[in-house]
Amino acid sequence: MSLTSRSLGLTHALAAALLIFAAVSAHADDAIRIGFGMSLTGKLAANGKMALLGMQIWEDDTNAHGGLLGRPVKLIYYDDQSDPAHVPGIYTKLLDIDKVDLIVSGYASTQIAAAMPIAIERRKLLIGLSGTAINDEFHYPMYFAMVPNGPSTKPAFTHGFFKVAEAQNPKPQTIALAYADAEFGHNTCEGARANAKDSGFRIVYDKNYPPATVDFAPIVRAIQAVNSDLLVVCSYPLDTVGIIKAVHEIGYKPKMWGGAMVGLQSTALKVQLGPLLNGIVNFETWLPVGPLKSPAAIEFLGKYQERAKAAGADAMAYFPVMAYADLQVLGEAVAATKTLKDDALAAYMHKATFNTVVGGIRFGENGEWAEERMLAAQFQNIKGNSVDEFRDLKTEIVVYPPDLK
């Protein structure tokens, strides 16, 4: 082969390679970009990391099946450091700089509430992951909640607790309420007051505490002094640990306690607390029990568990199914409407039923689930602080609703 022929061959090969690279790059640049903030550091990071991995598995599954609208999907996200003050700036950057096509929320009520004004101002659809009564104030028609509260958003987190308490014999008479001075704490405790009234319990203590509280002994002593039969706590993870330890250190023994304590879904916190958890009745958004234990859910959990350690996420958690379902809903809406227009997607989501790993989901007023599916579970027979205590649900027993007991 002459030098000229060889040069021409190399030129043609290089040109072909460049064409392939350009095609791949164009395909990647054509991705449907979904943006969000997520708490990957700070006090909400445990659940934030679980949620992110659940979303990334959806991203991989979707792309493995051809993407959406013939295009790949790509998640664009930033760490909000568990601080709602960072959230507006993140979503402004996602929309103005990153030019994302769609947005979803990060984890927790405080972060969702901070994202709402941006979504409303820009007329963007927003799915909120695990937020309580976020849209009660805004009534924004393009907001949808990914939490099984149902129409009664604020009472849902403690509904199961009160139903179990009502059935005790003799029936308790008095209750104490302690809650974080933050979005979630206020909303869930407002719901607990309504539940207490419906159940006929007299409230003898009803106070919040600053989010930065680290010493809960004075709070627990004040509650012990009123000698209530029941105690409902509406707390974030670090508060949850502090309150549980204080209850045991002081020796306070209500007839039943728990309610809306965030953090008890984390294996690390369960192991840390061990037998101190025994007797607590707390909410769960989803557990693999009864009809909820679908093949699709089990398949997802298998993928999640394989990747959790490398992602720094809790391998034994169940909460990530909600994050996967969050994007399943969005993906199904895009596929059905064949558009990325927020108003068209919202209109479809208000009337459709979505098939997800947590079951069928329909949305009702204010974008909440049409029916409540919150669970209550009690920790029982925990003997030590080994992770083996929590490898299945033998120490966390569903006590509400009755059909899942």
Side-chain angles (χ1 to χ4, degrees):
M1 181 183 291
S2 68
L3 182 61
T4 301
S5 299
R6 187 180 295 112
S7 299
L8 286 172
L10 288 172
T11 300
H12 290 154
L14 178 60
L18 288 171
L19 285 172
I20 293 171
F21 175 78
V24 170
S25 298
H27 188 58
D29 291 341
D30 195 39
I32 295 173
R33 297 156 72 85
I34 302 170
F36 55 94
M38 187 62 75
S39 298
L40 302 178
T41 56
K43 64 184 180 181
L44 300 175
N47 282 3
K49 289 178 181 179
M50 299 178 206
L52 176 60
L53 180 53
M55 291 174 159
Q56 289 172 328
I57 293 171
W58 174 86
E59 177 186 31
D60 292 344
D61 286 351
T62 301
N63 285 333
H65 289 88
L68 291 173
L69 308 182
R71 298 161 59 185
V73 296
K74 184 177 182 180
L75 303 182
I76 309 293
Y77 58 90
Y78 299 98
D79 179 12
D80 63 32
Q81 302 172 47
S82 301
D83 185 348
H86 295 316
V87 171
I90 286 173
Y91 282 86
T92 299
K93 181 179 188 302
L94 286 166
L95 293 167
D96 291 345
I97 307 300
D98 298 310
K99 304 293 184 183
V100 297
D101 300 289
L102 302 165
I103 57 172
V104 294
S105 84
Y107 162 75
S109 296
T110 49
Q111 318 308 92
I112 302 169
M116 279 291 279
I118 301 294
I120 293 169
E121 179 186 347
R122 304 298 185 90
R123 298 295 300 167
K124 297 296 291 183
L125 170 77
L126 182 67
I127 302 178
L129 179 60
S130 199
T132 302
I134 300 299
N135 212 19
D136 282 10
E137 175 185 351
F138 298 102
H139 303 291
Y140 181 50
M142 292 199 290
Y143 174 82
F144 299 87
M146 187 48 59
V147 65
N149 285 340
S152 299
T153 54
K154 295 176 181 178
F157 269 87
T158 56
H159 185 201
F161 178 96
F162 281 92
K163 289 301 179 185
V164 173
E166 281 181 26
Q168 303 305 299
N169 188 16
K171 181 181 175 181
Q173 299 299 309
T174 59
I175 186 167
L177 307 176
Y179 58 102
D181 186 11
E183 191 89 20
F184 175 80
H186 281 280
N187 285 336
T188 51
C189 195
E190 183 179 330
R193 291 187 196 100
N195 285 331
K197 181 178 179 181
D198 291 344
S199 297
F201 299 135
R202 181 166 56 90
I203 299 173
V204 294
Y205 179 99
D206 185 351
K207 294 183 179 179
N208 64 50
Y209 56 85
T213 301
V214 293
D215 181 7
F216 290 93
I219 296 170
V220 174
R221 287 195 186 97
I223 295 170
Q224 185 182 42
V226 302
N227 195 30
S228 64
D229 296 324
L230 306 171
L231 169 62
V232 162
V233 178
C234 305
S235 54
Y236 280 114
L238 297 182
D239 319 351
T240 295
V241 173
I243 290 171
I244 291 173
K245 288 183 175 180
V247 163
H248 284 272
E249 288 166 1
I250 291 168
Y252 174 46
K253 295 181 179 180
K255 293 178 180 177
M256 180 175 151
W257 75 295
M261 305 176 79
V262 176
L264 298 187
Q265 300 75 29
S266 161
T267 305
L269 293 190
K270 292 177 187 177
V271 170
Q272 178 184 346
L273 294 165
L276 301 184
L277 294 170
N278 283 326
I280 292 175
V281 176
N282 200 50
F283 81 94
E284 288 283 355
T285 55
W286 184 91
L287 290 172
V289 295
L292 301 181
K293 192 177 180 178
S294 66
I298 299 306
E299 180 184 1
F300 165 77
L301 287 174
K303 293 177 181 178
Y304 174 84
Q305 289 160 3
E306 287 178 4
R307 296 172 55 171
K309 184 176 181 181
D314 182 349
M316 293 163 57
Y318 300 117
F319 170 68
V321 295
M322 283 292 171
Y324 189 93
D326 185 300
L327 291 183
Q328 276 188 302
V329 167
L330 184 62
E332 285 185 29
V334 169
T337 60
K338 296 180 172 53
T339 184
L340 298 176
K341 293 182 178 179
D342 294 87
D343 54 352
L345 293 171
Y348 177 80
M349 289 172 65
H350 277 294
K351 64 184 181 182
T353 297
F354 296 89
N355 181 31
T356 77
V357 289
V358 298
I361 297 174
R362 291 184 301 109
F363 295 101
E365 186 178 0
N366 278 339
E368 301 290 344
W369 287 25
E371 60 180 23
E372 180 189 331
R373 295 220 295 267
M374 194 69 77
L375 312 178
Q378 184 178 48
F379 291 100
Q380 301 177 3
N381 302 313
I382 301 169
K383 303 293 192 293
N385 298 82
S386 168
V387 70
D388 292 330
E389 297 275 4
F390 307 102
R391 288 198 182 278
D392 53 34
L393 294 175
K394 67 180 183 296
T395 58
E396 188 175 2
I397 310 301
V398 173
V399 293
Y400 186 86
D403 60 329
L404 293 180
K405 291 172 65 176

